[in-house]
């Protein structure tokens, strides 16, 4: 499972939908969907930080979890 799928799963574990998460995080839904479909690597740093704060995860921990299996 790639990091985008893990992020999607984290969001859906805590929120009723991706749209609800986007609204509550003050992130445009289209931005969230682009990030999840095209990759976190090309996302704005500010958006990634905003997502991680809302999910209460450390961006560095999240990244290291996803690369440890590679």
């Amino acid at each position: 499972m790639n990091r985008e799928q893990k992020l999607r799963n984290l969001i859906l574990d805590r929120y009723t939908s991706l749209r609800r998460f986007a609204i509550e995080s003050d992130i445009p839904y289209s931005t969230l969907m682009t990030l999840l479909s095209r990759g976190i690597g090309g996302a704005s740093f500010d958006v990634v930080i905003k997502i991680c704060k809302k999910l209460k995860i450390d961006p560095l921990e999240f990244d290291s979890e996803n690369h440890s299996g590679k």
Side-chain angles (χ1 to χ4, degrees):
M1 183 181 314
N2 64 26
R3 62 185 172 176
E4 290 76 21
Q5 187 60 45
K6 286 184 181 182
L7 182 58
R8 179 184 301 266
N9 290 345
L10 272 174
I11 293 169
L12 292 174
D13 284 346
R14 300 174 189 186
Y15 293 85
T16 56
S17 68
L18 295 172
R19 185 173 301 280
R20 173 59 43 205
F21 175 76
I23 291 167
E24 291 187 22
S25 301
D26 196 31
I27 297 168
Y29 179 69
S30 60
T31 299
L32 179 63
M33 295 311 295
T34 298
L35 183 144
L36 293 174
S37 65
R38 294 188 184 167
I40 295 170
S44 157
F45 179 76
D46 293 338
V47 171
V48 172
I49 294 301
K50 195 180 269 192
I51 289 169
C52 290
K53 280 185 178 181
K54 189 68 177 174
L55 293 173
K56 296 182 174 127
I57 59 174
D58 181 340
L60 296 176
E61 288 177 23
F62 179 72
D63 186 53
S64 65
E65 284 178 14
N66 292 301
H67 290 302
S68 63
K70 287 186 179 182

